[in-house]
Amino acid sequence: MAIYGKTTQGGATDNIGGNGRIRANSGVFPENGTLNSISAWVDSVNPTTNRIIGMVYDSSGTLIAVSDASTTTHNSASVITLNVAGSISLVAGETYRIGVWGENNASRVYRDAGAAGDGNYLAAATWPTPPSPYAGSLASRDFSISLDYTAAATGVSLTAPDTVTHGTATTATGASLSTVTGMTL
């Protein structure tokens, strides 16, 4: 698995609870892959039970993934993992917005100061349905939110009836032959 985003605990917090408190980071994705989960550094201002969800939007603001709700009673900084169902493809060079949202006003996400426009916030949503398209405002924030993903395989791929054997004796059926240092295909 690979990770994209901010994985360290920020030094400050922003509220993510209740209606209108989605916080998100934007950035250009580095490689093709498949989304596994969203992680975030969060806590609560009191130990009530809070549900938190994560979401991913593409560059047009279209919602492409929503996590299951994680129930948490954290009253100190903790990393939560928000699982995403299905196979969501992520594309190299695409700008994604990765966000989190809490059920009530007790939820907070950690952050640091960021460059202008790194962060986003949305103040017009009704729990628990994330809006699509996303129409948030830019903020100079770097939220402690990341994606866990599986990078797409690169290089040679074989399909039956192709055969590859390592060593001096090589057999290839239905494949073009070429030589790679230490291995013949």
Side-chain angles (χ1 to χ4, degrees):
M1 284 201 335
I3 298 174
Y4 173 75
K6 182 177 173 70
T7 60
T8 58
Q9 178 187 345
T13 60
D14 275 2
N15 185 298
I16 58 170
N19 293 337
R21 301 284 193 258
I22 295 173
R23 303 292 189 240
N25 284 338
S26 294
V28 177
F29 203 69
E31 62 185 332
N32 293 333
T34 304
L35 177 63
N36 298 317
S37 62
I38 300 165
S39 296
W41 278 91
V42 298
D43 74 5
S44 297
V45 293
N46 60 50
T48 62
T49 299
N50 300 297
R51 291 186 303 162
I52 296 173
I53 61 173
M55 63 225 58
V56 179
Y57 292 87
D58 67 14
S59 59
S60 70
T62 301
L63 182 66
I64 63 167
V66 178
S67 75
D68 57 358
S70 174
T71 301
T72 180
T73 56
H74 301 296
N75 58 2
S76 62
S78 300
V79 175
I80 59 167
T81 299
L82 304 162
N83 295 314
V84 177
S87 181
I88 308 298
S89 294
L90 302 171
V91 180
E94 173 74 32
T95 298
Y96 291 105
R97 185 170 289 126
I98 311 161
V100 292
W101 187 17
E103 179 179 20
N104 60 48
N105 288 329
S107 303
R108 302 183 302 185
V109 64
Y110 281 81
R111 64 153 176 94
D112 286 320
D118 282 352
N120 291 266
Y121 63 91
L122 182 62
T126 303
W127 177 268
T129 306
S132 187
Y134 186 93
S137 300
L138 298 178
S140 298
R141 301 276 196 265
D142 188 10
F143 295 105
S144 298
I145 306 170
S146 61
L147 294 180
D148 299 306
Y149 69 98
T150 302
T154 59
V156 176
S157 63
L158 298 175
T159 56
D162 299 343
T163 307
V164 173
T165 332
H166 183 274
T168 54
T170 301
T171 305
T173 306
S176 298
L177 294 176
S178 62
T179 302
V180 178
T181 305
M183 179 185 280
T184 304
L185 300 176

